[in-house]
Structure formats: C-alpha cells, structure tokens
C-alpha cells in the first residue's frame, strides 16, 4: 500500500495506511456491526478497531461512518519499521509566514473547511478539520505547499510505552524499598543488602510526619482504581485527558498501570495494605497516555492550573521517530516554570525498561528528573536504561520486587500458574495488592520523595529539587562507574536518599545558608539590531540554565532582558545580535533543529 509523507516537529515521517484498522468516535454502548475487534480503547480521542480485513479499507470506513452512533471515523497508519498504530487527531498546528495577511490566511482555512480552535500569541494557529474537510494529513500537506504558510504540522497520537516490568524473583510482604534491614520476614534463604533502600522511613522521622496533605502529586497514566483502600478519598481534580472530563474510566479496558504507580508514591497510612513514600499527599489522577502534542499540552496545563506540585510519568519512548518535539517540550517546560506560582512543578519521568544505552526521550527534556532502577542488593537493574541525562536511580525489582496496590479489575500476570498471577512466590497477600517493578515503580517512588522535600520546604523551585536529589544521592556500584564529576551513565548521580534530600530541603528553609541561585547576567542588547527570542521565563534558575545551554550549543551571544509584569519579573532569553532581520532569520532553522521555537525580535526598546 502506498505511503504518505507527513511533516512533524521532528522531521518527516513516512506512514502507510492500515488495511484493517480504523479509529472511531462512538457514542453509546453498541459498536457498529462492521467492527470485528476492539484493538485499543483510547488513542487520540478515538477507539481503534478492526474492520473486515477482506474489504477495501476506504469503502469500509466510508460505510461505518454512516452508522448510527459514529460521529467521526479516521484511517489508522503505521510508520516504517514500527507496529504501533498512528492516529491523526484532526488537529493541525499551523504557522503563517511573518507579516502574512491574516484575512488571506483565514480565507484559505475557509476554503479547506477548517475551523480555528485557537489563535495563539506566538503566531501558531490551531486548526480542526470538519466533516467537509479532507484527510487531516492531506490538508496539512496542502497547507505546507502554500507560500503564505511557514509550517503546517498534523497532530498525531501513538501509544507510548508504560515502563512496568513483571517481577523477576520472589516477593515479601514488607516494603524493603522504604527501609531495607537485609532480610525478608518469612523468607530466610533470600538475603538482601542491608541499607539498599531509599531511606524513606528515616526521612519521615526527620520530618516528624508522613509529609504534608497540602502537597499534590499528579500521576499521568491509565487505569486508576480510586476506590482502592490505599487510594480512597485522596483524589483531587481528576482528568480524562481525551474527553476533558473529570470522570475516569474503570474496568479492564481502562488499564491497570496507574493504580500501583499511585500507591508507590502516596498510598495511605490507614492501618491496612501498603504505604507510599508520601502517605499524606493528595492524588491528581490524569487518565490517558498520549503522544499527541495537543493532548500533551492539555495534560500538563491541567497540572499547572489545578495545583499539582509533583508530576509522575512512568511512560515514554526510545523510538526516535516519536521523540517529543518542540510542542511537547514547551508543554513540559511550561509546567517546570509556571507551576506552583512560578516555582515550577517537579516533573519526574521513567528512564525506561528496554535495557538500552539510551534513556526515554521524554526523560531527556531539560529540567526533568529522569529515574532509573536499582535492586534490593544495590545493583543496577539490568532492564533499566542507561545513558546521559539520567538523574538518579531508585529501588525497584530485579532482586525482590515491590508490593503495590492492584486495581480490582487487574487480571494479573498472563501465562503463569493461577497462584502466581499476582504474587511471584505464590503466597497470597489478599485481593488488593500485587508485585510491581520496573522504572515505572522507581519513578513514583522518587515523586513521593519530592513531595516529602516540598513538605519540608514548600519554597523550593523545581530546579532546586532536582539539584538537591543529585547532590544527596548515594553512590552505589563501584567508583569506576562514576566520572570525575560524580556522574554515572548507569546510576546517574546515585541511588536516591530521601533522608539526606529532606535534610537539605530543611537546611534551605531553616538557616539561610543554602547556596544562592545561579546568577543571571542581565544584558541589554544594542538597540536597532535584531535577535532571536527563544523563551520568556520567570524561574531564576531555569533562565540561568537555559542561557548556559544556548551559549554552549550555538556559540552565539545570549542576552537576558528583564521585563516587569504584574509585579513580577519575566526574563526574555535572546540569542545572537544581527544587523538585519534577514540575518536573524538565517539562523532560525539552526535553532529549530535543536528543538527551540525562535522568532525574530527587533531590539529597539527592549528592556
């Protein structure tokens, strides 16, 4: 079948149309009779289903679109050498050329039967196809050919990887990852390494509490059993990402991954079950995993506007064709800088379970805390991805696994004996829990520890939390694993130490001896020249980090221009000084290739 070449923020993507799968938006319980199999319940706002493979897919889709209860139908695609379905959501990110006639642009949209959903201050126009529009991929390609349009990028969604791995060895009923005494009650023949834990119980003692109920951890995942004894009553501001509603789906089709992830971060201390790292924290559950830039913006914006303090993400990808682009990065950066009243949400991503020398692309985004996994013997978990960008590791399976909550509809591990569906050693611990592991488990553990740090000191910025975690981590492995700066591709800066991290957070708050934030060199560029603005940030540390990063990457002068707005300071970050606007534009592609979204700014009057 022929392929279609699609422009994305990461370059061009060759897609081939599926011969059997389509995406449908269905109202009601009954599926159209043409549906042979339900493949994926949620992808880009559609249900991915299989139609009769013997029929021409175009004619089959046209027919099912006429069915009662089907509001929208779309083709499903596959990228070269990849078996994950790709769904166009029907949205297009369009940027007209500079100084384009806006009336002419709107006439073009009308002729193509497109609806303007958003007209953003940065010049981006978010478009939506209608029933009268052509295929959104073809519409975007047609727009891209027009001289008046600079970019037209269709919004695509693909399933991302949930970083869970089944336990590899036995289990015990005690939570050794919080405090490891070197043995497991009732299992005398499996020794652990004493002290191979995250020091969470010691952090509780230092705080003299289990953390603050004023701290909210957002967990972005699928499959939350909010009636589970360890999670009941903890949910605030839930969001179904695709539908933009507060009611979350339940049952097998909804998935099971979010329940154990949430429990590791904040399972309640209620006398039964398990206890999370930050038992008093509140849970903000966001159901839905998405590559779509539009839905990615929605999820992180919801976290910011609804008051999340920490955002835990046990998912991602190591496939280069689906690495996050500029729009994804902007959404994450917005949370890192705008959240918590400008102090920034703490964003934690899993490094991934592929066992590669490459960590999850989402975990590589600037400012994100990237988490790998260590074992009950303080060794590197073999499945845990390695490489530059890893921040810390945290205890998970690979030796003894972690005990976590399980959704009431969780079917357990397939293809094992019935007694080992939930517990690897076959010993029943009741209907509410199961073995859990992977970097999916290590990530919410670190998210919970970040919540304890904010309980100790609510004024910490996102950059300060990350710096403290790095500085207080325990070096495990061998000295040869680490370079002269104390960094390891296998362990990051080491295994997370909650007690030391909380102690440092208290020191920042208590005596004023904390290191000053990195200085910002405020430089007012020469008036009458031109520059490329890449960002406008209020977070002091983020401005300093970005400035240093830009200077290193491009060897161009970087200017910081402060602007007072609504009683606070925002810093414009500007790259280069050019005599003309044309010379400035000559450098745009260079910055875009590195993931930035620059625009030309005349420097007269800046500051």
């Amino acid at each position: 079948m022929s392929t279609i070449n699609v422009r994305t923020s990461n370059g061009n993507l060759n897609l081939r149309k599926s011969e059997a799968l389509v995406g449908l938006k269905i109202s009601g319980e009954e599926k159209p009779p043409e549906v042979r199999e339900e493949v994926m319940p949620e992808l880009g706002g559609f249900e991915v289903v299989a139609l009769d493979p013997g029929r021409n897919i175009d004619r089959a889709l046209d027919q099912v679109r006429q069915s009662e209860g089907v509001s929208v139908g779309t083709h499903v695609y596959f990228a070269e050498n990849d078996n994950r379905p790709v769904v166009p959501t029907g949205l297009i990110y369009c940027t007209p050329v500079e100084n384009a006639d806006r009336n002419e642009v709107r006439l073009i949209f009308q002729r193509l039967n497109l609806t303007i959903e958003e007209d953003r201050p940065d010049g981006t126009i978010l478009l939506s196809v209608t029933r009268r529009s052509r295929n959104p991929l073809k519409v975007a390609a047609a727009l891209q050919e027009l001289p008046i349009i600079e970019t037209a990028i269709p919004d695509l969604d693909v399933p991302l990887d949930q970083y869970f791995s089944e336990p590899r060895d036995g289990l015990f009923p005690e939570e050794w990852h919080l405090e490891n005494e070197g043995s497991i009650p009732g299992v005398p023949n499996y020794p652990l390494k004493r002290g191979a834990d995250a020091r969470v119980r010691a952090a509780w003692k230092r705080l003299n509490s289990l953390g603050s109920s004023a701290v909210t951890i957002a967990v972005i995942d699928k499959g939350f059993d909010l009636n589970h004894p360890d999670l009941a009553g903890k949910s605030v501001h839930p969001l179904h990402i695709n539908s933009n509603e507060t009611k979350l789906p339940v049952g097998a089709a909804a998935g099971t991954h979010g329940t154990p992830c949430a429990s590791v971060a904040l399972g309640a201390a209620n006398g039964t079950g398990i206890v999370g790292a930050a038992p008093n924290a509140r849970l903000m559950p966001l159901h839905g995993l998405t590559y779509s830039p539009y839905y990615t913006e929605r999820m992180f914006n919801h976290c910011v506007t609804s008051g999340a303090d920490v955002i835990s993400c046990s998912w991602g990808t190591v496939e280069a064709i689906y690495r996050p682009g500029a729009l994804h990065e902007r959404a994450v950066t917005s949370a890192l800088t705008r959240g918590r009243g400008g102090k920034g949400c703490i964003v934690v991503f899993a490094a991934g379970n592929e066992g590669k020398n490459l960590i999850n692309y989402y975990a590589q985004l600037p400012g994100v805390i990237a988490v790998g996994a260590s074992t009950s013997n303080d060794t590197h978990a073999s499945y845990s991805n390695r490489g530059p960008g890893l921040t810390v590791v945290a205890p998970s399976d690979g030796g003894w696994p972690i005990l976590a909550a399980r959704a009431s509809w969780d079917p357990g591990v397939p293809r094992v004996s019935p007694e080992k569906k939930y517990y690897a050693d076959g010993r029943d611990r009741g209907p509410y829990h199961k073995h859990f592991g992977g970097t999916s488990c290590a990530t919410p553990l670190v998210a919970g520890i970040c919540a304890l740090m904010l309980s100790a000191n609510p004024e910490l910025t996102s950059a300060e939390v990350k710096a403290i975690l790095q500085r207080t981590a325990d070096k495990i492995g061998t000295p040869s694993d680490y370079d002269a700066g104390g960094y390891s591709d296998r362990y990051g800066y080491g295994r997370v130490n909650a007690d030391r991290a909380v102690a440092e957070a208290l020191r920042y708050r208590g005596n004023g001896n904390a290191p000053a934030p990195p200085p910002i060199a405020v430089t007012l560029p020469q008036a009458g020249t031109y520059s490329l603005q890449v960002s406008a940030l209020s977070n002091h540390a983020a401005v300093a980090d970005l400035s240093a990063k830009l200077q290193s990457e491009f060897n161009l002068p970087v200017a910081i221009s402060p602007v007072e707005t609504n009683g606070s300071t925002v810093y414009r970050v500007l790259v280069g000084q050019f005599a003309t606007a044309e010379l400035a534009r000559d450098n745009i592609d260079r910055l875009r290739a590195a993931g930035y979204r620059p625009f030309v700014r005349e420097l007269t009057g800046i500051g």
Side-chain angles (χ1 to χ4, degrees):
M1 184 169 284
S2 62
T3 61
I4 181 170
N5 186 267
V6 177
R7 178 167 182 172
T8 75
S9 57
N10 289 322
N12 291 338
L13 185 64
N14 289 319
L15 298 177
R16 59 178 174 83
K17 189 188 299 180
S18 171
E19 298 180 2
L21 301 183
V22 298
L24 303 178
K25 292 187 177 180
I26 303 172
S27 59
E29 299 294 327
E30 295 296 324
K31 298 291 189 295
E34 295 86 356
V35 173
R36 295 290 182 268
E37 182 183 358
E38 299 173 30
V39 177
M40 190 169 294
E42 292 180 320
L43 188 62
F46 293 85
E47 294 184 47
V48 177
V49 301
L51 302 182
D52 185 348
R55 295 194 58 194
N56 175 276
I57 192 64
D58 294 322
R59 289 195 290 271
L61 179 57
D62 285 341
Q63 180 177 338
V64 80
R65 281 171 173 155
Q66 307 307 314
S67 300
E68 184 177 353
V70 175
S71 58
V72 184
T74 182
H75 282 290
V76 171
Y77 300 85
F78 291 96
E80 291 179 321
N81 303 315
D82 192 74
N83 63 358
R84 284 177 286 190
V86 179
V87 168
T89 67
L91 298 170
I92 299 170
Y93 288 87
C94 183
T95 306
V97 297
E98 190 175 8
N99 300 320
D101 185 304
R102 304 296 279 191
N103 290 327
E104 182 181 350
V105 170
R106 288 177 181 269
L107 284 174
I108 291 171
F109 297 157
Q110 289 176 12
R111 286 198 296 269
L112 293 171
N113 298 305
L114 299 172
T115 299
I116 297 177
E117 298 290 339
E118 297 177 24
D119 195 343
R120 299 181 175 181
D122 66 357
T124 302
I125 301 174
L126 184 65
L127 303 169
S128 175
V129 297
T130 65
R131 277 186 171 272
R132 299 174 57 204
S133 308
R134 299 170 65 201
N135 181 305
L137 302 184
K138 294 180 179 179
V139 173
L143 284 169
Q144 192 65 66
E145 294 298 318
L146 300 175
I148 200 171
I149 301 300
E150 183 175 339
T151 60
I153 298 176
D155 188 49
L156 303 175
D157 204 2
V158 297
L160 297 177
D161 298 315
Q162 291 176 303
Y163 287 129
F164 164 69
S165 65
E166 299 292 349
R168 288 158 178 76
D169 293 296
L171 177 66
F172 73 109
E174 303 298 327
E175 295 179 275
W176 61 265
H177 59 291
L178 304 178
E179 183 178 63
N180 188 340
E181 296 289 352
S183 63
I184 303 164
V187 187
N189 297 322
Y190 197 101
L192 282 64
K193 182 177 180 181
R194 186 182 182 91
D197 58 71
R199 306 292 196 276
V200 172
R201 289 184 180 173
W204 294 340
K205 293 177 182 177
R206 186 177 297 275
L207 279 172
N208 197 31
S209 77
L210 299 179
S212 171
S213 61
V215 177
T216 299
I217 302 175
V219 179
I220 303 174
D221 217 297
K222 294 180 73 173
F224 294 93
D225 185 351
L226 299 181
N227 292 320
H228 190 284
D230 293 323
L231 302 178
K234 297 176 74 71
S235 172
V236 295
H237 304 297
L239 177 69
H240 187 304
I241 294 167
N242 281 338
S243 68
N244 205 26
E245 297 175 348
T246 59
K247 184 178 180 181
L248 305 189
V250 297
T256 62
H257 196 252
T259 300
C261 285
S263 75
V264 171
L266 48 75
N270 55 12
T272 63
I274 59 111
V275 179
N280 289 342
R282 296 176 296 180
L283 167 65
M284 184 184 297
L286 286 80
H287 173 92
L289 301 183
T290 179
Y291 171 79
S292 156
Y294 179 72
Y295 290 124
T296 301
E297 290 176 326
R298 175 181 286 176
M299 67 168 68
F300 283 99
N301 185 61
H302 177 82
C303 290
V304 171
T305 58
S306 299
D309 298 291
V310 184
I311 305 173
S312 180
C313 305
S314 293
W315 47 270
T317 185
V318 292
E319 296 295 335
I321 57 174
Y322 299 128
R323 68 187 185 276
L327 291 167
H328 299 88
E329 181 171 351
R330 184 185 300 175
V332 175
T333 300
S334 177
L336 285 162
T337 55
R338 289 175 49 231
R340 300 174 55 240
K343 293 186 288 291
C345 298
I346 291 84
V347 181
V348 190
F349 265 96
N353 294 350
E354 291 85 359
K356 290 179 176 275
N357 288 309
L358 171 69
I359 68 170
N360 171 17
Y361 282 111
Y362 286 82
Q364 296 181 38
L365 295 176
V368 164
I369 296 168
V371 181
S374 60
T375 73
S376 55
N377 287 302
D378 253 356
T379 59
H380 175 264
S382 60
Y383 56 81
S384 182
N385 290 347
R386 308 165 294 281
L390 187 65
T391 307
V392 291
V393 295
S396 187
D397 70 327
W400 281 90
I402 306 298
L403 195 62
R406 83 175 190 246
S408 60
W409 56 83
D410 191 330
V413 181
R415 297 182 297 279
V416 299
S417 58
E419 67 273 12
K420 293 188 177 182
K421 285 176 63 176
Y422 304 111
Y423 302 107
D425 61 353
R427 185 159 59 89
D428 188 16
R429 277 89 170 171
Y432 297 116
H433 300 94
K434 69 173 186 176
H435 295 163
F436 193 57
T439 54
S440 274
C441 178
T443 298
L445 175 55
V446 170
I449 291 169
C450 291
L452 295 181
M453 295 168 66
L454 295 183
S455 300
N457 184 352
E459 297 306 311
L460 291 173
T461 67
S462 59
E464 288 170 336
V465 168
K466 181 176 181 179
I468 290 172
L469 283 176
Q470 293 176 168
R471 190 162 56 249
T472 58
D474 292 326
K475 297 291 189 279
I476 62 174
T478 64
S480 62
D481 286 318
Y482 298 85
D483 63 19
Y487 182 80
S488 165
D489 281 349
R490 289 162 62 87
Y491 302 106
Y493 288 92
R495 191 239 307 115
V496 67
N497 185 319
D499 185 35
R500 291 178 61 192
V502 165
E504 187 72 351
L506 289 168
R507 185 174 75 85
Y508 268 56
R509 182 178 186 176
N511 57 26
N513 293 329
I520 295 179
V522 175
T523 310
L524 297 180
Q526 180 180 349
T529 60
Y530 296 82
S531 188
L532 294 173
Q533 181 169 327
V534 299
S535 192
L537 304 170
S538 58
N539 184 293
H540 191 281
V543 173
D545 287 347
L546 179 59
S547 175
K549 186 170 184 283
L550 289 166
Q551 287 175 327
S552 173
E553 282 184 303
F554 302 108
N555 196 29
L556 289 170
V558 176
I560 309 299
S561 176
V563 179
E564 295 297 324
T565 176
N566 296 326
S568 61
T569 302
V570 173
Y571 297 92
R572 291 172 174 151
V573 183
L574 306 152
V575 178
Q577 293 187 36
F578 307 97
T580 66
E582 288 72 21
L583 289 173
R585 276 193 287 271
D586 286 344
N587 287 270
I588 283 180
D589 287 343
R590 182 182 170 198
L591 270 71
R592 283 182 176 163
Y596 299 99
R597 295 286 293 173
F599 61 90
V600 176
R601 180 180 280 279
E602 187 175 1
L603 299 179
T604 303
I606 288 289

